[in-house]
Amino acid sequence: MNKCAERLYNGIIKENPTFVLMLGMCPTLAVTTTAINGVGMGLSTTAVLVFSNLIISALRKIIPDRVRIPAYIVIVASLVTIVQLLLQAYIPSLYESLGIYIPLIVVNCIILGRAEAYAAKNGVVESAFDGIGMGLGFTVGLTCIAIFREILGGGAVFGMEFIPEDFRITIFGLAPGAFFVLAGLTALQNKFKAPSATNGSAPKSSLACGGNCASCNGLACASNHSTLEEIRRKEEEKAAQAKKEAALKAAAAKKEAEAKKAAQAAAAADAAGTEKAGE
Amino acid sequence: MKELILIIVGSALVNNIILSQFQGLCPFLGVSKKVDTSIGMGGAVIFVITLACIATNLVYSLVLVPLHLEYLQTIAFILVIAALVQFVEMFLKKNVPSLYQALGVFLPLITTNCAVLGAALTNVQKGYNFIFSVANGVGTAVGFTIAIVLLASIRESIEDNDIPFNFQGSPIVLITSGLMAIAFLGFSGLI
């Protein structure tokens, strides 16, 4: 149970996907025009993330290693379609305002990233809690940015008015404002040297590309792919060699044990013989 | 014809995929350090988005609509795009090595780029027919290329500038993109 709580803490604070890992920047900037959109997007992503982690971790021993990425994409895309249909049926207003960004959850790096980095290696319960933690972390991040933007740009948040109409900075509600808010955020992270992907001190994610979009020069993907393959091959070789050695050792040990046994038996027989002779 | 031009201008400049839709931000921020690489990335994106729009439009209108499976569009599109990018990569490697040299490294990056899926889904949402879909795809990709090449040239020229410590690295890039987004807001009067 402790591990589950640790997963939640990890997702919400230590490796917050928005503030620390800087993953999924596309929805982060696009839907944070109003706080309600931010919450909606965060919770939709959380739902997809929890179930994708759950299913992928349950199927992790069945999915062959070579086709795991397409398999993950199919699972995630099915879940996103379910979420999309549910939103369309029950919260049409949110469906309207999020628009194309709901199907785009499929290509959100957080989801495939967590599947690859966590769910593919860990048990079902921990993976589900990892999904909850990461999803809530994402929701918190989106909501904070959205509240900031909505107060500055629209003057009101969740129906409460803070800034009178003449003093609003409309640009924060528009596209450029998203860039400025994120720029301010990353500048603050640089100033306080907070752990973040932007200043290179983020905890290294085990994502294939390191999960660091900001400092990626575009070549990381291809080269990482080959290095990963190489590492895997080396590991396999090592494992094979270790296995061989272990087998040899085991055989040697067995032989030795047998020899010892035989010697013991012989000794025992000898002893018995001498004893008998003694009698 | 007029509609076609409107669609291309609209998707390239007015609703620029990066600066107003925020799709494809990862390569936009990541691959914009040098003009050369950004041109390569732009070329690859134009290539892939155009092909993806053709393929997804065909899949949608010839397979999904007749079978009443429109709700499977997200799954179908992402699989078609992933398969297409793989296929294009293999084809280029074998038959057009020079183009592969130029674009090859960028192709795997594009598979899960939201810009490609976004363009395909926009076509369906707006109910574009085949020609309009391709036009929208080309426009979107050209918009991406314009934005990324502009950002790369700005980044090259501010490389030696004295930027305050806190704003070094990604903050200054984001502020640059924000200013570019303001400039692109001016295009909204075009249509």
Side-chain angles (χ1 to χ4, degrees):
Chain A
M1 214 57 227
N2 218 352
K3 202 161 183 196
C4 299
E6 185 262 320
R7 280 288 99 197
L8 289 180
Y9 170 75
N10 184 57
I12 299 174
I13 295 169
K14 208 170 126 212
E15 286 188 16
N16 187 297
T18 311
F19 296 133
V20 181
L21 296 182
M22 307 295 259
L23 288 177
M25 281 296 115
C26 152
T28 307
L29 294 185
V31 303
T32 49
T33 44
T34 63
I36 219 70
N37 278 359
V39 176
M41 185 71 200
L43 291 182
S44 316
T45 312
T46 308
V48 175
L49 196 50
V50 173
F51 285 103
S52 75
N53 264 5
L54 203 107
I55 295 175
I56 287 168
S57 127
L59 295 179
R60 69 186 188 278
K61 289 187 181 129
I62 303 171
I63 300 175
D65 209 37
R66 291 183 68 96
V67 293
R68 64 184 196 287
I69 300 288
Y72 296 166
I73 292 181
V74 173
I75 293 170
V76 175
S78 321
L79 290 167
V80 169
T81 308
I82 294 171
V83 167
Q84 186 181 1
L85 292 176
L86 286 175
L87 280 182
Q88 194 174 4
Y90 294 106
I91 323 178
S93 58
L94 191 64
Y95 176 77
E96 286 291 315
S97 58
L98 290 181
I100 196 166
Y101 296 101
I102 302 173
L104 285 183
I105 296 177
V106 180
V107 283
N108 191 329
C109 352
I110 298 174
I111 296 181
L112 273 186
R114 289 327 286 176
E116 178 81 357
Y118 197 85
K121 293 174 202 143
N122 290 284
V124 177
V125 181
E126 289 109 324
S127 298
F129 272 91
D130 183 70
I132 297 175
M134 280 286 160
L136 287 183
F138 188 57
T139 313
V140 169
L142 284 194
T143 314
C144 289
I145 295 180
I147 288 177
F148 192 72
R149 279 183 70 187
E150 208 185 354
I151 288 182
L152 283 181
V157 69
F158 293 122
M160 289 177 281
E161 205 177 302
F162 288 98
I163 302 177
E165 198 151 354
D166 294 344
F167 298 98
R168 289 174 191 164
I169 315 167
T170 324
I171 196 114
F172 277 103
L174 300 173
F179 285 114
F180 292 141
V181 170
L182 198 66
L185 184 67
T186 46
L188 282 179
Q189 285 168 337
N190 277 351
K191 170 144 178 73
F192 297 116
K193 297 205 167 53
S196 146
T198 50
N199 50 24
S201 55
K204 278 268 179 293
S205 138
S206 41
L207 208 62
C209 65
N212 186 353
C213 295
S215 74
C216 166
N217 64 1
L219 303 172
C221 188
S223 62
N224 256 327
H225 194 68
S226 46
T227 37
L228 274 189
E229 287 279 287
E230 190 131 308
I231 291 169
R232 185 167 301 146
R233 200 172 325 121
K234 264 188 196 154
E235 263 174 15
E236 258 165 31
E237 257 169 35
K238 221 180 198 174
Q241 198 156 6
K243 215 173 178 183
K244 222 186 216 168
E245 266 171 22
L248 273 180
K249 225 178 219 173
K254 214 173 176 186
K255 228 178 212 170
E256 211 166 273
E258 258 167 31
K260 222 179 218 173
K261 223 182 206 173
Q264 257 173 7
D270 260 8
T274 46
E275 244 169 61
K276 236 178 208 171
E279 271 171 22
Chain B
M1 199 57 210
K2 197 179 150 206
E3 272 182 64
L4 265 184
I5 293 173
L6 277 184
I7 285 182
I8 293 184
V9 172
S11 54
L13 298 178
V14 182
N15 291 317
N16 186 287
I17 185 113
I18 294 170
L19 298 172
S20 80
Q21 309 286 311
F22 301 110
Q23 291 163 21
L25 270 182
C26 287
F28 177 67
L29 300 176
V31 199
S32 54
K33 281 207 182 86
K34 292 213 171 67
V35 174
D36 295 347
T37 37
S38 70
I39 291 176
M41 184 73 196
V45 166
I46 293 182
F47 195 65
V48 170
I49 290 192
T50 312
L51 282 178
C53 282
I54 295 174
T56 50
N57 186 277
L58 291 179
V59 166
Y60 187 74
S61 55
L62 299 181
V63 180
L64 296 183
V65 173
L67 296 173
H68 302 292
L69 290 174
E70 287 94 340
Y71 61 88
L72 285 182
Q73 45 168 293
T74 314
I75 305 177
F77 285 4
I78 186 86
L79 288 180
V80 167
I81 291 168
L84 183 86
V85 175
Q86 275 295 316
F87 182 74
V88 166
E89 199 185 346
M90 288 193 294
F91 178 82
L92 286 185
K93 204 173 189 174
K94 183 124 192 340
N95 294 322
V96 203
S98 55
L99 196 58
Y100 181 76
Q101 285 287 323
L103 305 184
V105 285
F106 302 112
L107 287 174
L109 262 180
I110 299 173
T111 318
T112 53
N113 186 334
C114 14
V116 184
L117 186 63
L121 289 169
T122 315
N123 287 337
V124 171
Q125 259 181 10
K126 296 204 172 155
Y128 288 154
N129 64 17
F130 182 72
I131 296 173
F132 284 2
S133 301
V134 178
N136 183 35
V138 174
T140 307
V142 169
F144 180 90
T145 312
I146 293 174
I148 198 171
V149 173
L150 279 179
L151 181 69
S153 33
I154 297 177
R155 278 179 81 171
E156 270 191 4
S157 41
I158 62 170
E159 203 170 5
D160 298 327
N161 285 14
D162 187 19
I163 299 162
F165 171 77
N166 297 334
F167 280 87
Q168 282 170 11
S170 53
I172 190 70
V173 178
L174 287 165
I175 287 185
T176 314
S177 339
L179 294 174
M180 283 170 63
I182 294 182
F184 271 70
L185 273 184
F187 285 119
S188 58
L190 261 183
I191 291 187

